[in-house]
Amino acid sequence: MSALTKKELKTAIENCAKEPIHHLGHVQPHGFLIVFSDDMNILGISENLVEKSKLSFDELVGKCLSIFLGERQTNFLEKKLQPPKSQSKSAFFKTINPLRLFLELEGEKKPFDGIVHQSNHGCILELEPIDLESGEIKKDNFYQISKKSIIRFQHSDNLKELYTVIVEEIQHITGFDRVMLYKFNEEYDGQIVAEVKLEEMNPFYDLWFPSTDIPKQARELYLKNWLRLISDTHYIPSPILLKDDIKDTPLDLTYSTLRSVSPVHIEYLKNMGVEASMSISIIVDGKLWGLVSCHHNSAKYVDYSTRMTAEFFAQLVSLQIDRLQKNELQLDKLEKQTLTEGIIESLKEEKNVYGGMIKKGKSFLKLLDADGVVVLVGADKKKIFKAGITPIDEQIWQMKDWLEIHHSKDLFSSHCLSKDVPEIKLDETICSGALSVPISKEDDSRIIWFREELQQSINWGGKLEKIVLEKDNELVLKPRNSFAKWNQKVECQSKKWTPSEIEAAKSIQSKIFYVVTQNMNEYREELRRKELEQQVRIRTEELTTINEKLGIEINAREEIAKKLKEGMQLLEVTNKELEHFAYVASHDLQEPLRAIASFSQLLEKRYEGQLDEKAAMYIRFIIEGAGRMKDLIMDLLEYSRLHRNETPHKEVQLNDTYQNAIQNLTLQIEETKAEIEIENDFSDIKIMGNSSKLTQLFQNLVGNAIKYRSEATPQIKITYKENKDHFQFTISDNGIGIDPRFADRIFIIFQRLHTKENYEGTGIGLALCQKIVEQHKGKIWLDQEKSQSGKGTTIHFTLGK
């Protein structure tokens, strides 16, 4: 046949995988098969049994099974096949096998192991011959054999030792010339990991066998039926004859012990020089882990009990492998967890997490058994951190771009980048494998571990050439003719990433993400703190500047206050001196003024009529001037006394002071017929004050109301009201009034609003009132709304309580 195309080879492999090996419709001839119904009637028989019976199939089909077993064994079998209600037939049948049955064939009664199981057309009874004597012996020795083997299994501390034990024990109990342990990889290529054999046989140990040697449907069958025996590769299959109404549906022989195997496989064994073969499944964690493969250089039948013993051992070994594998995985997991925790703890102390990761580069490499690692941050080639052996930066960034397109969120792993990422041309000697996980989308960070090329030499059990034949218009694989060691060099590939390494990468990815996120939060918090510190610093500087200005201002104000205080002190001294001067002057001037007035009056009286008119007028001017001067001096003296009088305040009844003032004004009141109305009675009001001054206060204000009267009769109204801390009095009149423009002027000493010809006075009365009010913690003011020229005057004053 011409060279195969890839498509033709794929078709051939797929056709091989489609071969219905559990529906082949034949059995191996060392035993017999009977299909029967629940009422024990025959539905099908292997042809070799028909031949032994000397009857035709038509004479047998539909008959009771007793035609072969006799009535007693048939009844026994019928009762034996009734499962408990809690158990299915399939599960129950496994617990009763084998059944010791006898068949009378060709006039001789022979013992058989009867094995029953459920099929699509009913129950199947398979009968395998038994050497009664040797079988009994093996049964007796089963406990000793099992005990010894189990002890060896239990004392196997590692997988390699266990592999050796299982092949040795299986060989010991079965007697096969060669027993091998065949372990699958992820692609179901198998490697011989343990072997015992006859010395003259060629070794297969450490050889690999391609997955096509045991195609998919065969592997699935091994998961259901743990053991398969081929006692003689030269056997002639015996067809299974079925009743007409069921023969169009192939009989399911999944659980058959006599099931005939594929002719292709028989040819495979013959090419290998094998005359008899037995395979036992090793199933770990529900998956086909491998096979115990037994070969014999001649035909060899292994009875059912021995096979079940071997299967039992295989099941024990499966459990032991599962335990040891899990132990190894657990130890590996613990080591990786320890490394991961160490890395993460160190990163927590790092401000630059990514740089810190590379500081722990050795740990990162050890974690995944990698040769190089890079940490990439930012999509636009911002930062790259490297440790170990890595490609050049440009290739690394190309790799990252490719990962962001094809594996932006998930893990990516490859042990053959030249095949999986052909777009990027990497130096395969330093980078054949890679494993990558994204860390954070926020800063677009990612880790990539790299592995160097692992140049391997794989020894195959025969050259991996595919021979394909066309059969029944289909392309089918033909077994290879030679199983001599064939070496294949594997290049451009790294060591494969194991599930535990992938799990470790995912684990550290999530932990680093947490640290990076936390670090970013701390970084943001640090930035925010620095911003706040900057704002505080700026504000502090501003406050310092303001404080300095305030200090200068305060100093200036203090200096001003000091100068004011000094000025006030000087002013007080000056005022006291002036007051003293005024008092002294006014007091001392009285005497000479009195002399001037007295002698002027005496001169006027003595020379009355002797002087001309001018002299008399001059003397009159002197007398009038002396009188006015006397008034001024008296008022000035009174004003100065007001300042000098330091008599302590005592309780004063205001009504008394008012009455004293009215009494002093009796003459003016009578002359003018002034009417004084007191709106509120303040006879009970008492304050701390000076009685004489308060009398003068009322006297001056009421006196002014009378003095500055209009043509109308003076009407004076006095009211008061009490506030929280003072009493407020109001004295209003209907006199000539005051222009509001002079509201402040009227309280200035010697200020007069009228000429002396119109109204006598010195202009000191209201100044005295203001001074008296202030000495009693009060104030005095003109009501500018109610006081108008020609419309009367209203003055308010308060006295502190």
Side-chain angles (χ1 to χ4, degrees):
M1 188 171 182
S2 60
L4 290 174
T5 64
K6 286 185 178 180
K7 184 177 181 180
E8 288 172 334
L9 179 58
K10 182 180 179 183
T11 301
I13 292 173
E14 289 175 351
N15 290 337
C16 182
K18 290 178 183 176
E19 185 181 12
I21 56 177
H22 59 305
H23 286 157
L24 293 180
H26 295 78
V27 293
Q28 297 178 59
H30 61 271
F32 308 115
L33 181 145
I34 304 173
V35 186
F36 61 97
S37 62
D38 290 342
D39 56 1
M40 309 304 282
N41 290 327
I42 297 171
L43 303 175
I45 314 173
S46 60
E47 191 178 64
N48 58 346
L49 182 57
V50 175
E51 292 172 352
K52 289 286 183 181
S53 68
K54 304 300 184 183
L55 296 173
S56 68
F57 175 69
D58 292 338
E59 292 173 313
L60 294 171
V61 70
K63 297 295 189 299
C64 180
L65 196 59
S66 60
I67 197 169
F68 288 115
L69 299 180
E71 189 171 345
R72 186 178 62 81
Q73 289 192 120
T74 303
N75 292 336
F76 163 76
L77 182 60
E78 187 174 16
K79 291 180 182 178
K80 198 72 176 175
L81 296 182
Q82 300 304 316
K85 291 182 179 178
S86 60
Q87 203 168 8
S88 67
K89 277 188 177 180
S90 298
F92 174 68
F93 288 172
K94 291 180 181 177
T95 65
I96 63 174
N97 290 325
L99 299 167
R100 179 65 53 81
L101 297 172
F102 289 88
L103 290 184
E104 187 168 342
L105 298 172
E106 297 173 337
E108 184 179 357
K109 195 173 185 178
K110 296 182 178 179
F112 286 86
D113 277 330
I115 301 105
V116 291
H117 52 89
Q118 190 70 22
S119 183
N120 57 332
H121 291 316
C123 288
I124 292 179
L125 172 63
E126 293 179 288
L127 298 162
E128 295 189 29
I130 182 172
D131 183 337
L132 193 57
E133 184 176 352
S134 62
E136 293 299 331
I137 292 171
K138 288 178 180 177
K139 184 177 178 181
D140 292 340
N141 290 335
F142 175 76
Y143 171 74
Q144 291 297 331
I145 294 170
S146 300
K147 181 180 177 182
K148 169 178 161 292
S149 300
I150 290 170
I151 290 173
R152 290 194 69 192
F153 295 152
Q154 289 177 334
H155 285 79
S156 299
D157 294 329
N158 56 67
L159 288 170
K160 189 175 181 180
E161 184 179 341
L162 182 64
Y163 299 161
T164 303
V165 170
I166 181 61
V167 295
E168 288 178 353
E169 290 302 314
I170 294 293
Q171 186 189 44
H172 175 69
I173 63 171
T174 62
F176 275 96
D177 294 337
R178 185 202 304 267
V179 178
M180 303 171 289
L181 182 61
Y182 189 89
K183 180 184 177 184
F184 294 118
N185 64 10
E186 294 175 357
E187 290 78 26
Y188 286 102
D189 295 328
Q191 182 185 22
I192 305 300
V193 295
E195 180 186 33
V196 287
K197 63 176 184 61
L198 297 179
E199 189 174 351
E200 64 271 20
M201 299 175 79
N202 291 326
F204 286 162
Y205 177 73
D206 203 35
L207 294 184
W208 284 82
F209 292 82
S211 60
T212 51
D213 284 5
I214 304 175
K216 181 180 179 181
Q217 79 275 36
R219 297 194 295 268
E220 291 175 349
L221 207 52
Y222 276 122
L223 283 172
K224 297 176 180 176
N225 193 344
W226 283 59
L227 189 143
R228 187 226 60 202
L229 171 69
I230 303 171
S231 59
D232 185 354
T233 55
H234 297 284
Y235 75 88
I236 298 175
S238 176
I240 300 170
L241 306 177
L242 295 175
K243 195 177 174 185
D244 288 344
D245 57 350
I246 62 173
K247 67 180 181 182
D248 292 336
T249 303
L251 181 65
D252 186 351
L253 295 173
T254 297
Y255 298 100
S256 171
T257 60
L258 296 173
R259 176 178 61 84
S260 184
V261 299
S262 168
V264 177
H265 185 63
I266 292 296
E267 186 177 356
Y268 175 91
L269 292 174
K270 287 179 178 177
N271 291 347
M272 194 180 278
V274 175
E275 298 287 322
S277 164
M278 185 174 78
S279 298
I280 314 169
S281 304
I282 303 293
I283 299 174
V284 176
D285 204 18
K287 296 180 181 178
L288 188 62
W289 180 93
L291 294 171
V292 176
S293 183
C294 308
H295 293 171
H296 208 68
N297 290 332
S298 59
K300 179 178 178 60
Y301 172 69
V302 181
D303 63 71
Y304 184 79
S305 295
T306 302
R307 299 202 310 267
M308 290 304 100
T309 302
E311 182 179 313
F312 174 65
F313 286 171
Q315 290 174 350
L316 287 178
V317 168
S318 295
L319 293 174
Q320 190 71 348
I321 288 173
D322 187 32
R323 183 183 68 81
L324 290 174
Q325 280 193 163
K326 286 179 177 174
N327 285 346
E328 289 184 358
L329 285 173
Q330 189 63 24
L331 288 173
D332 183 60
K333 186 176 181 179
L334 283 174
E335 183 183 10
K336 286 180 167 50
Q337 283 180 345
T338 302
L339 276 171
T340 300
E341 289 170 4
I343 292 168
I344 296 301
E345 282 302 315
S346 68
L347 293 184
K348 290 178 181 177
E349 305 298 326
E350 294 286 346
K351 290 185 178 179
N352 183 340
V353 175
Y354 302 122
M357 288 162 65
I358 297 306
K359 286 183 184 175
K360 301 295 291 183
K362 287 185 178 178
S363 297
F364 260 91
L365 296 177
K366 185 177 180 182
L367 182 66
L368 298 194
D369 192 20
D371 300 303
V373 62
V374 296
V375 181
L376 303 163
V377 184
D380 51 351
K381 301 183 181 180
K382 286 184 179 176
K383 290 181 181 177
I384 179 169
F385 303 93
K386 301 190 289 185
I389 301 170
T390 64
I392 60 175
D393 290 2
E394 183 180 355
Q395 293 174 344
I396 292 172
W397 286 110
Q398 287 176 359
M399 185 81 185
K400 183 174 187 293
D401 292 342
W402 183 89
L403 289 167
E404 294 304 328
I405 295 171
H406 300 283
H407 298 273
S408 61
K409 296 181 180 178
D410 57 347
L411 179 145
F412 166 78
S413 68
S414 169
H415 68 283
C416 185
L417 288 171
S418 60
K419 173 186 173 187
D420 297 331
V421 193
E423 302 94 321
I424 304 172
K425 301 301 178 187
L426 299 168
D427 184 348
E428 292 164 346
T429 59
I430 63 171
C431 180
S432 291
L435 188 152
S436 177
V437 289
I439 301 174
S440 171
K441 289 302 293 180
E442 192 165 351
D443 61 357
D444 201 17
S445 54
R446 173 179 288 275
I447 308 176
I448 307 176
W449 285 271
F450 293 103
R451 274 181 177 166
E452 292 181 300
E453 179 185 31
L454 177 64
Q455 293 188 351
Q456 304 176 74
S457 290
I458 298 179
N459 295 319
W460 292 95
K463 190 174 182 180
L464 297 181
E465 58 183 2
K466 303 297 181 185
I467 303 172
V468 177
L469 294 177
E470 188 171 346
K471 180 180 180 182
D472 298 331
N473 296 322
E474 281 192 352
L475 294 173
V476 294
L477 285 178
K478 184 175 174 59
R480 55 190 179 276
N481 294 317
S482 171
F483 291 86
K485 184 169 71 175
W486 180 74
N487 183 265
Q488 180 191 27
K489 288 188 177 179
V490 180
E491 297 177 332
C492 303
Q493 292 186 15
S494 69
K495 192 178 74 169
K496 291 183 180 179
W497 305 95
T498 66
S500 67
E501 289 166 345
I502 290 173
E503 190 63 31
K506 290 179 179 177
S507 173
I508 200 167
Q509 173 199 26
S510 63
K511 289 182 169 58
I512 289 174
F513 174 77
Y514 173 77
V515 174
V516 168
T517 303
Q518 192 176 39
N519 189 273
M520 284 184 174
N521 290 337
E522 290 175 356
Y523 176 69
R524 292 192 188 97
E525 186 64 26
E526 179 69 13
L527 279 182
R528 197 173 71 84
R529 187 182 64 76
K530 287 183 177 178
E531 288 175 359
L532 286 174
E533 287 179 353
Q534 177 71 2
Q535 291 175 2
V536 169
R537 188 181 61 76
I538 293 171
R539 187 59 182 157
T540 301
E541 290 175 356
E542 291 175 352
L543 289 174
T544 301
T545 303
I546 292 172
N547 285 337
E548 290 174 355
K549 291 180 179 178
L550 284 175
I552 294 170
E553 184 72 16
I554 289 170
N555 290 335
R557 287 175 182 268
E558 287 178 349
E559 187 64 26
I560 292 171
K562 182 180 177 183
K563 291 180 179 178
L564 283 174
K565 186 177 180 182
E566 292 173 353
M568 287 294 293
Q569 290 173 345
L570 182 60
L571 190 58
E572 286 179 1
V573 171
T574 303
N575 282 341
K576 285 184 179 179
E577 290 175 351
L578 286 173
E579 288 169 2
H580 180 70
F581 170 76
Y583 176 78
V584 171
S586 57
H587 185 272
D588 292 349
L589 283 174
Q590 285 188 81
E591 186 57 30
L593 182 60
R594 195 163 33 245
I596 293 171
S598 296
F599 283 107
S600 296
Q601 289 172 352
L602 184 60
L603 186 61
E604 181 183 32
K605 186 180 289 185
R606 177 169 291 186
Y607 295 101
E608 183 176 6
Q610 297 178 29
L611 300 174
D612 57 19
E613 287 187 3
K614 280 190 177 178
M617 183 181 65
Y618 292 156
I619 291 173
R620 191 169 57 253
F621 285 167
I622 293 171
I623 293 171
E624 288 175 357
R628 286 195 299 274
M629 181 171 286
K630 177 187 175 185
D631 291 340
L632 278 172
I633 289 171
M634 290 304 293
D635 286 347
L636 186 60
L637 183 61
E638 189 64 29
Y639 190 78
S640 65
R641 282 175 179 166
L642 201 62
H643 288 280
R644 292 172 62 82
N645 193 343
E646 298 177 353
T647 305
H649 286 187
K650 60 182 179 181
E651 188 175 85
V652 176
Q653 190 139 10
L654 286 177
N655 188 52
D656 292 345
T657 61
Y658 167 75
Q659 293 301 334
N660 292 336
I662 295 301
Q663 189 175 359
N664 294 338
L665 294 169
T666 301
L667 183 60
Q668 292 93 319
I669 292 171
E670 289 177 352
E671 287 178 352
T672 60
K673 298 180 181 177
E675 297 173 359
I676 301 175
E677 179 190 358
I678 299 177
E679 187 173 282
N680 310 96
D681 182 13
F682 53 92
S683 57
D684 295 333
I685 296 176
K686 297 177 182 178
I687 67 169
M688 296 299 292
N690 186 299
S691 176
S692 60
K693 292 180 181 178
L694 291 172
T695 297
Q696 188 172 7
L697 173 64
F698 280 113
Q699 184 175 327
N700 285 2
L701 293 176
V702 174
N704 281 348
I706 296 172
K707 181 179 178 181
Y708 297 103
R709 63 185 179 277
S710 61
E711 296 296 329
T713 301
Q715 293 181 338
I716 303 167
K717 186 178 180 180
I718 302 174
T719 62
Y720 97 97
K721 61 181 179 181
E722 182 174 1
N723 293 316
K724 183 179 178 182
D725 55 357
H726 64 268
F727 299 104
Q728 179 176 325
F729 288 84
T730 301
I731 299 176
S732 57
D733 61 54
N734 61 342
I736 61 174
I738 300 175
D739 190 326
R741 293 179 298 167
F742 307 124
D744 296 328
R745 184 177 170 184
I746 60 176
F747 296 104
I748 300 174
I749 191 170
F750 299 133
Q751 291 294 322
R752 291 171 58 87
L753 300 181
H754 309 283
T755 63
K756 63 183 179 182
E757 286 77 13
N758 295 327
Y759 296 96
E760 293 182 350
T762 60
I764 203 169
L766 287 177
L768 281 172
C769 290
Q770 185 181 44
K771 185 60 69 178
I772 292 168
V773 168
E774 289 175 352
Q775 288 180 343
H776 287 82
K777 302 177 183 176
K779 61 181 182 179
I780 186 169
W781 70 97
L782 175 72
D783 190 326
Q784 299 184 44
E785 292 183 357
K786 296 179 180 178
S787 300
Q788 298 289 332
S789 295
K791 293 183 179 179
T793 301
T794 298
I795 289 180
H796 306 285
F797 69 90
T798 62
L799 299 172
K801 289 184 177 177

